[in-house]
Amino acid sequence: MSSRIPAVFATSLWVGHGGLASYGPDYHAEGVQAARLVAKILRGARAGELPVEGADKIDLAVNLKTASVLGLAVPRKILLRADTIRR
């Protein structure tokens, strides 16, 4: 926190380490999605015939402690949309 520069990351891991916010895919959900596709292949589906799938869930995480240290007010609209709020 010594540089006091707000940073937004692609994964919520960094919000837990002091990052201001993150907006990116839920890696657990992506793992479950990948496992489902692998199970289809193991049951005999051809990989080339499976549909291309994107992330089903995008997570927004906000660190209120970091926002406070930086003197930033997080709008209520953002907090209502956030999947994770660190206090």
Side-chain angles (χ1 to χ4, degrees), residues 34-68:
R36 190 176 66 249
L37 292 172
V38 168
K40 287 179 182 181
I41 291 169
L42 292 175
R43 287 189 203 112
R46 295 179 47 142
E49 295 173 355
L50 294 176
V52 174
E53 297 182 15
D56 287 338
K57 187 169 188 312
I58 304 294
D59 279 338
L60 172 63
V62 178
N63 188 323
L64 292 179
K65 182 178 178 183
T66 300
S68 176

Side-chain angles (χ1 to χ4, degrees), residues 52-87:
V52 174
E53 297 182 15
D56 287 338
K57 187 169 188 312
I58 304 294
D59 279 338
L60 172 63
V62 178
N63 188 323
L64 292 179
K65 182 178 178 183
T66 300
S68 176
V69 168
L70 295 171
L72 300 172
V74 179
R76 187 174 196 283
K77 195 173 190 177
I78 298 292
L79 295 176
L80 290 173
R81 189 183 178 300
D83 298 291
T84 304
I85 299 173
R86 302 261 179 182
R87 299 181 193 277

Side-chain angles (χ1 to χ4, degrees), residues 9 11-22 61-63 66 84 86:
F9 297 92
T11 176
S12 62
L13 167 73
W14 299 109
V15 171
H17 290 287
L20 176 61
S22 69
V62 178
N63 188 323
T66 300
T84 304
R86 302 261 179 182

